[in-house]
Amino acid sequence: MRTNNVVGLIFSNAYDSAIPELTTLRTMGSVPFGGRYRLIDFVLSSMVNSGMSKVGVATKSNYQSLMDHLGSGKPWDLSRKNSGMYILPPFSTKESGGVANRIELLHGCMNFLSHSKEEYVLLSDCNVVCSIDFGELMEAHIASGADITAAYRRSVKPALTDLMSFTFDGSRITGISVGAPTGEEETYSLNIFLMRKALLERLINEAVSLHFDNFERDLFQRNLQTLKICGFEQTGFVRTLSSLQSFYDVNMELLDKENRKQLFARERPIYTKVRDDMPTIYGLGSEAKNSLIADGCTIEGTVENSILFRGVHVGKGAVVRNAILMQGSMIGENAQVCCVVMDKNGVLKPGKTLCGDKTFPIYIGKGIMI
Amino acid sequence: MSRKTECIAMLLAGGQGSRLGILTKHIAKPAVPYGGKYRIIDFPLSNCVNSGIYTVGVLTQYQPLELNDYIGNGQPWDLDRENGGVHILSPYQQIKGTAWYKNTANAIYQNINFIDRYNPQYVAILSGDHIYKMDYSKMLAYHKEKNAACTIAMLEVPWEEAPRFGLMLVDDDNAITEFEEKPKNPRSNKASMGVYMFTWEKLRRYLLEDEANPDSSNDFGHDLIPAMHEAGERMYAYPFDGYWKDVGTIDSLWEANLDLLNPKVDLDLSDTSWKIYSRNPSSPPHYISADAQIQNSLIAGGCEIEGEVDFSVLFSDVVVEKGATVRDSIIMPGTVVRSGAVVQYAIVAENAVIEEGAVVGERPEAMQNLDDWGVAVVGEHITVGKDAVVAPKAMVDTDVSAAQ
């Protein structure tokens, strides 16, 4: 398998500021998603399912929840004597005084990369919900003879700063813009890049010595003529999260059977930390419709069009509609929630009502009791 | 292994469980799935870990492949340890020849060397096929307090069921005065749960004596324990009053699963202070469609429910299509119930397919003669054809062709 020769590098903090509500206390990588996962599970599982066995997780700040989640890497089968998963704490150089941008972050990972025997490196962010076969990406990379291959998607571009859109000549990328979304269909970067490790090392060393600080402009736009950068289209269920609204919408997209089939294909499982919950109990008088519900919940009321994480309790007579309730949330008897994103261990006391709108979901912070 | 261990556990997991029929055709009884995501052996293993016993020998003999695979290195139970941990102990070849485990006491006898490596003071002998939550450390404290050679966990059972059990007569101090093995007219309703705590030095001696006795059948309940009692050793009963079930038959397996849906039953698996650990499938959360109707059921990850589910336990990745009905049933992982099919009062094993319009099992109310009624069982990887009928009490281990 060619992917044996690829080391993965995941940026756990990339675009943290896009969803400030969920990332005040955590990294983008540890944002809960899809009923039982954290965002990093998707790209990490994709890498493992593609046969990669060495992955570095670069961190910048707030990474305690991420470390709790990843542990030794066991759930992804990455707790190994040789290779496996490595958490890379921020590495600040004397010159930088802190880790400010992606180039410096990569510079801090150089030690890890140079000690890896793999010839290729695959870079990825965490705010992409996907299950991608990187083996195919590798095949395409070899076949096209590209220096860098960038995964992209054709759709309306998410509103993220510096997110690249590409224009092509065949599969080769000939133009890169980082402007605001046009609202029309574009071909935008998924921020998943494959290249030779030696090339990345050279690019980063150059960039650092020249005091370059912009990954997109200085590494990609500047080198468009000298390097052959090719695109690799993803047509499956791949979504880039760019705001609380898109977090809400993409979660809700999982209520569609076709999307679930693509994201949770049985031969490509998404792994996550084990919690040893019992299966979910549906009580007498409960009513659940069109919902995705994780283990360990107790449902005694009504749940519709919602995503329930592990260990959620919905009391008798309570009504949950169009809501995302994270791990350990409690909805008291006869309480009502609608269009709400409730972070971990939130509590809505009996009889209370809380309503947002599909286009403006209300966010309730971690552990807040209402 | 020089580090001394106070107490280790030996888990008897070699039983076939022949009364479970096709469910144990390819797996040992302790590996039988239970409760939506568990296997029976998760209970004694989790009890050990929760009680602070981190050295566990699992004695396997009958169809051990799946059980060995399931236990693996013990990681799901936190039993992958440098010191101790879980060890699979299968019969092995010795200089005097190869011997199967003849019986429970003989199985332990053959592993005296294993126990000696840990040099424990106490050894818990447990059964791998009971469902219960029990703190063995409390039992050990009791054992020490009574300065006993052997302590036997004791459960009061209904008098009418007493003849099915090994019974004990005890004095006011719970010292055992007499044993009765499955008597017709019981004088006690205090049953042995098959959970023993021994002082190793004593047990070791009686194991050697028992093995040397040509008349012995080498069984704990039948031979070794009575021998200890006759020799005048201090033997005590440890009263237990929680939920305990030996799922020996199809009916009791079915019942034990549905007990989880009865709030009056004293077995709470959601209690975080005494978790039951298991090997977890990596399935996504389950999905309940807009057409689904679910009442009083237990549903595991990866299920896709579009039909009606009532008073049932569904394991991971079960599909219930639109218009299908599952009631009063246990459906094991990966099984598909197609549109219009009805599964009632049944246990359907792993990866079976119940085709459109098929009917498995029958409600007792619909029977003319209740003696003909029983839980229907469909074996693993079996297809029940379109509109076919599986009678109550039936056990299906070959595909059932579609009705003409």
Side-chain angles (χ1 to χ4, degrees), chain B residues 252-272:
Chain B
S252 68
L253 177 66
W254 178 78
E255 247 176 59
N257 272 285
L258 297 180
D259 276 347
L260 290 172
L261 298 173
N262 184 349
K264 287 183 196 133
V265 168
D266 180 25
L267 181 67
D268 178 12
L269 300 184
S270 63
D271 177 8
T272 50

Side-chain angles (χ1 to χ4, degrees), chain A residues 216-257:
Chain A
E216 288 78 10
R217 185 188 61 214
D218 297 326
L219 253 60
F220 283 81
Q221 286 177 322
R222 206 180 281 273
N223 289 312
L224 207 49
Q225 306 306 322
T226 49
L227 295 176
K228 185 178 180 188
I229 305 179
C230 286
F232 180 72
E233 186 170 6
Q234 281 302 308
T235 50
F237 185 81
V238 180
R239 299 288 185 271
T240 301
L241 304 184
S242 58
S243 62
L244 187 67
Q245 182 69 48
S246 77
F247 170 84
Y248 177 83
D249 293 341
V250 177
N251 264 293
M252 291 304 169
E253 278 192 79
L254 295 182
L255 297 178
D256 182 275
K257 194 172 192 166

Side-chain angles (χ1 to χ4, degrees), chain A residues 36 260 275 277 282 289-290, chain B residues 37 283 286-288 292:
Chain A
R36 71 192 289 257
R260 281 200 309 279
R275 234 184 68 122
D277 288 294
Y282 290 85
K289 302 275 179 212
N290 189 35
Chain B
K37 69 175 288 200
S283 302
H286 63 261
Y287 175 74
I288 310 295

Side-chain angles (χ1 to χ4, degrees), chain B residues 127-203:
Chain B
S127 171
D129 45 14
H130 297 158
I131 292 165
Y132 65 112
K133 301 209 294 191
M134 181 175 182
D135 189 343
Y136 305 134
S137 68
K138 286 188 183 152
M139 184 172 175
L140 178 61
Y142 179 90
H143 179 83
K144 288 195 249 180
E145 179 198 315
K146 299 287 183 194
N147 191 23
C150 170
T151 301
I152 303 173
M154 161 186 91
L155 182 76
E156 291 195 20
V157 296
W159 280 94
E160 62 272 19
E161 284 180 31
R164 286 175 37 219
F165 292 95
L167 303 171
M168 294 177 282
L169 281 78
V170 297
D171 69 12
D172 293 345
D173 192 31
N174 279 332
I176 299 169
T177 55
E178 218 176 310
F179 288 98
E180 282 190 321
E181 189 67 20
K182 299 180 184 166
K184 279 211 180 73
N185 300 304
R187 287 182 291 149
S188 161
N189 68 336
K190 296 179 166 61
S192 161
M193 294 164 57
V195 174
Y196 310 105
M197 186 67 72
F198 288 98
T199 301
W200 173 231
E201 183 200 331
K202 300 273 187 191
L203 174 62

Side-chain angles (χ1 to χ4, degrees), chain A residues 34 36-37 255 257 260 266 271 274-283 285-286 288-293 295, chain B residues 35 37-38 270 275 277-278 280 282-290 292 295-299 301 304 306 317:
Chain A
R36 71 192 289 257
Y37 305 98
L255 297 178
K257 194 172 192 166
R260 281 200 309 279
R266 222 173 256 193
Y271 303 98
V274 167
R275 234 184 68 122
D276 287 293
D277 288 294
M278 71 178 296
T280 284
I281 300 180
Y282 290 85
S286 69
K289 302 275 179 212
N290 189 35
S291 294
L292 197 63
I293 299 176
D295 274 358
Chain B
K37 69 175 288 200
Y38 308 95
S270 63
K275 270 194 179 180
Y277 301 98
S278 64
N280 285 263
S282 348
S283 302
H286 63 261
Y287 175 74
I288 310 295
S289 87
Q295 285 294 307
N296 202 21
S297 292
L298 207 57
I299 296 182
E304 296 268 329
E306 295 179 32
D317 303 305

Side-chain angles (χ1 to χ4, degrees), chain B residues 28-150:
Chain B
K29 187 173 154 194
V32 168
Y34 169 80
K37 69 175 288 200
Y38 308 95
R39 292 182 188 252
I40 298 173
I41 198 165
D42 289 332
F43 287 83
L45 278 179
S46 301
N47 284 343
C48 282
V49 172
N50 290 334
S51 306
I53 298 176
Y54 301 120
T55 306
V56 184
V58 178
L59 297 111
T60 62
Q61 176 155 293
Y62 174 80
Q63 289 283 7
L65 208 60
E66 188 150 335
L67 189 59
N68 293 356
D69 204 34
Y70 183 69
I71 293 173
N73 68 350
Q75 192 270 336
W77 304 270
D78 235 349
L79 285 172
D80 53 333
R81 305 249 169 173
E82 283 299 316
N83 287 300
V86 67
H87 299 259
I88 305 271
L89 304 169
S90 297
Y92 55 94
Q93 205 168 29
Q94 304 174 36
I95 201 129
K96 56 189 175 195
T98 312
W100 293 105
Y101 294 153
K102 281 183 282 177
N103 216 329
T104 50
N106 175 258
I108 304 294
Y109 168 82
Q110 291 201 39
N111 287 289
I112 284 180
N113 288 341
F114 169 80
I115 302 175
D116 279 343
R117 279 161 63 90
Y118 290 95
N119 188 20
Q121 274 175 284
Y122 307 99
V123 175
I125 307 288
L126 311 169
S127 171
D129 45 14
H130 297 158
I131 292 165
Y132 65 112
K133 301 209 294 191
M134 181 175 182
D135 189 343
Y136 305 134
S137 68
K138 286 188 183 152
M139 184 172 175
L140 178 61
Y142 179 90
H143 179 83
K144 288 195 249 180
E145 179 198 315
K146 299 287 183 194
N147 191 23
C150 170

